[in-house]
Amino acid sequence: MATFGAAAVATNQNPNKSIEVSQPPSDSVSSLCFSPKANILVATSWDNQVRCWEISRSGTGVASVPKASISHDHPVLCSTWKDDGTTVFSGGCDKQVKMWPLLSGGQPVTVAMHDAPIKEVAWIPEMNLLATGSWDKTLKSSSVRSLCCAVECNDLAKWDNMCMWIVKRYWDTRQPNPVHTQQLPDRCYALTVRYPLMVVGTADRNLVVFNLQNPQTEFKRINSPLKYQTRCVAAFPDQQGFLVGSIEGRVGVHHLDDSQQSKNFTFKCHRDGSEIYSVNSLNFHPIHHTFATAGSDGAFNFWDKDSKQRLKAMSRCGQPIPCSTFNTDGSIFAYSVCYDWSKGAENHNPATAKTYIYLHLPQETEVKGKPRAGTSGRK
């Protein structure tokens, strides 16, 4: 595997002339997610913080305004929004998930716990459930519907009383009790949900598929089509399959239907000659259903799986890109540029390291699928 050498570090941090988000975290970013209802961006980071910015657009101009933040006791690894855009969930190395009623200005409440760090969290609106994946080799589902209703209360004293009653009703406050606990074959590394499809990537290259219409039973378990450790997964928008990315600069396109297996393929990416970098993030465009990859080479690219083409290759930034996300209409692509911890703490210098979050405004030609040369059109 390649390392991010001195030559790469010395290059321009923002060669794509993206818009820089103001007041970024003081340590590496671990996840990014936009509100499903507005251009509000949340980032989690290794400095134990969850931060929020309001992103505004005026023509081609984009501005970011820091709005609020909360703290965990240890580094935060993952985040997701509730579908109504009122609430953020975050989890990490303190082994707990916090529910932050961001829009109402309420205080965060612990709503789920594991026995090891929580790597992934996903809100499933069709089930009113929160799914959490951990290095304790379990996947847990927690019902937080009543809690989410309570955070809308404007009377803070009444809110505190409601919180205590609801937490005691749904969970033992010493150890929140999930609706369901699913044993995984190994540590959870990646998780994606497009109801009714959920895919969990674990250590040892396991990919566990669930049909959420029967959530307590595995639908299918397969070995990754990639030969190296799974880094990220993303369910197809039509729920017919998923993408998987590995630490070996490769992406697999996998269909679930046995009759569609001939459409499966893998491709190389995030490589520079003999240097090979991890694929850290996979994001489908919400409108065109093309997708983006971001990697430890400091680059992000846009692809069309149906025509098997790369639509746009962006210039490499001076540090890895550990995470990325589209906003709800696909007009903004947010990505972080910072140390990704792939070389461990011994290669991290807090005195010189700097973290960036950038906003790229995709052109339609970058993200809209097009027929492969020599074909008459897309089916």
Side-chain angles (χ1 to χ4, degrees):
M1 297 298 146
T3 57
F4 215 87
V9 173
T11 60
N12 183 1
Q13 299 290 348
N14 187 19
N16 299 295
K17 297 181 172 58
S18 301
I19 298 96
E20 186 174 350
V21 171
S22 62
Q23 299 181 34
S26 60
D27 206 339
S28 297
V29 178
S30 53
S31 76
L32 292 167
C33 60
F34 270 105
S35 164
K37 297 296 185 181
N39 283 332
I40 302 175
L41 178 64
V42 161
T44 61
S45 57
W46 286 77
D47 61 4
N48 307 356
Q49 298 290 304
V50 185
R51 294 176 173 84
C52 162
W53 296 262
E54 184 177 23
I55 311 298
S56 59
R57 295 191 61 177
S58 177
T60 58
V62 179
S64 59
V65 179
K67 302 299 288 187
S69 65
I70 63 168
S71 298
H72 281 245
D73 294 333
H74 296 287
V76 195
L77 302 179
C78 54
S79 58
T80 193
W81 284 82
K82 192 170 181 285
D83 59 302
D84 62 5
T86 64
T87 305
V88 173
F89 301 96
S90 55
C93 295
D94 56 8
K95 310 174 189 178
Q96 61 181 296
V97 172
K98 291 191 176 184
M99 184 182 70
W100 180 18
L102 192 154
L103 290 195
S104 68
Q107 295 300 306
V109 178
T110 298
V111 294
M113 295 185 72
H114 279 264
D115 295 329
I118 297 168
K119 179 60 174 64
E120 296 288 345
V121 60
W123 174 254
I124 308 172
E126 295 84 356
M127 303 173 72
N128 280 300
L129 289 178
L130 183 72
T132 56
S134 169
W135 293 341
D136 66 7
K137 304 181 184 180
T138 66
L139 177 74
K140 296 184 179 183
S141 301
S142 302
S143 174
V144 292
R145 179 189 301 184
S146 295
L147 276 169
C148 289
C149 293
V151 300
E152 298 173 1
C153 178
N154 293 323
D155 185 329
L156 291 182
K158 186 177 179 182
W159 151 244
D160 288 337
N161 291 333
M162 289 178 71
C163 276
M164 290 303 297
W165 180 82
I166 294 166
V167 170
K168 288 179 180 177
R169 180 180 178 188
Y170 279 101
W171 306 278
D172 180 337
T173 54
R174 297 165 298 178
Q175 179 66 48
N177 295 318
V179 173
H180 175 67
T181 298
Q182 181 75 36
Q183 195 67 36
L184 296 173
D186 215 315
R187 299 177 301 280
C188 175
Y189 285 166
L191 171 68
T192 182
V193 178
R194 295 260 188 170
Y195 186 87
L197 173 63
M198 178 167 67
V199 183
V200 184
T202 77
D204 203 26
R205 300 174 45 248
N206 293 291
L207 295 168
V208 187
V209 181
F210 294 90
N211 178 350
L212 292 176
Q213 293 168 332
N214 184 22
Q216 299 188 13
T217 303
E218 289 184 15
F219 175 74
K220 184 182 289 188
R221 185 186 299 189
I222 64 173
N223 287 327
S224 172
L226 310 179
K227 296 180 180 179
Y228 290 84
Q229 177 182 304
T230 298
R231 189 73 175 87
C232 47
V233 289
F236 293 175
D238 63 5
Q239 305 98 42
Q240 298 305 302
F242 58 89
L243 307 174
V244 54
S246 77
I247 62 171
E248 189 236 352
R250 199 180 293 261
V251 170
V253 179
H254 188 85
H255 296 76
L256 292 172
D257 192 329
D258 290 340
S259 67
Q260 301 291 309
Q261 296 306 294
S262 62
K263 294 183 178 181
N264 295 346
F265 65 96
T266 66
F267 64 92
K268 299 175 183 178
C269 53
H270 299 285
R271 299 178 176 216
D272 184 12
S274 61
E275 295 185 342
I276 302 172
Y277 299 88
S278 172
V279 181
N280 294 328
S281 187
L282 293 162
N283 311 108
F284 274 100
H285 191 278
I287 305 300
H288 300 301
H289 296 171
T290 53
F291 66 94
T293 62
S296 290
D297 59 343
F300 61 97
N301 303 312
F302 299 113
W303 310 81
D304 181 1
K305 70 176 177 62
D306 296 329
S307 63
K308 299 183 180 179
Q309 293 186 87
R310 182 167 64 182
L311 300 173
K312 179 69 174 180
M314 308 303 294
S315 299
R316 289 175 61 182
C317 303
Q319 295 185 86
I321 300 177
C323 53
S324 57
T325 189
F326 283 106
N327 70 337
T328 189
D329 66 3
S331 63
I332 302 175
F333 180 73
Y335 63 100
S336 60
V337 176
C338 53
Y339 185 59
D340 64 357
W341 297 97
S342 59
K343 294 174 64 180
E346 63 273 16
N347 286 285
H348 176 58
N349 184 352
T352 58
K354 187 172 180 183
T355 295
Y356 304 87
I357 298 175
Y358 291 116
L359 306 175
H360 173 72
L361 309 183
Q363 302 298 307
E364 187 172 88
T365 55
E366 296 174 355
V367 294
K368 186 175 182 180
K370 53 188 176 184
R372 201 172 175 84
T375 63
S376 59
R378 302 180 68 191
K379 293 182 179 179

